[in-house]
Amino acid sequence: TRKESSAASDVYKRQVQTRFLRPAVAGELWCETTVVKPGRRVVHLESRVSGADGKIVATGSGSFAVI
């Protein structure tokens, strides 16, 4: 696990998964991340990355321990 810094507390990566769905075309990429479950000790997140054409090019999810 790799320690990430945070102003409020220490955060440790527990699990991260990335799925590449299609190649990204030229232009900007946009990432939207939502908190699926904000637990007291573990936070679960999901993300979607979209290309300039609006198509999703990648998704990801992760669990992070908050100490």
Side-chain angles (χ1 to χ4, degrees), residues 6 18 24 38 40-42 53 58 66:
S6 174
T18 305
R40 285 183 49 192
R41 293 285 186 192
V42 178
D53 58 0
V66 179

Side-chain angles (χ1 to χ4, degrees), residues 5-28:
S5 64
S6 174
S9 58
D10 290 334
V11 177
Y12 293 86
K13 176 175 64 174
R14 290 182 44 154
Q15 177 182 3
V16 174
Q17 206 172 39
T18 305
R19 290 170 291 291
F20 298 100
L21 306 175
R22 64 174 43 95
V25 295
E28 293 184 352

Side-chain angles (χ1 to χ4, degrees), residues 21-60:
L21 306 175
R22 64 174 43 95
V25 295
E28 293 184 352
L29 295 175
W30 295 90
C31 180
E32 180 180 10
T33 301
T34 56
V35 177
V36 176
K37 183 177 181 218
R40 285 183 49 192
R41 293 285 186 192
V42 178
V43 177
H44 300 278
L45 307 173
E46 288 185 350
S47 298
R48 292 182 179 184
V49 179
S50 300
D53 58 0
K55 293 182 180 178
I56 297 175
V57 297
T59 62

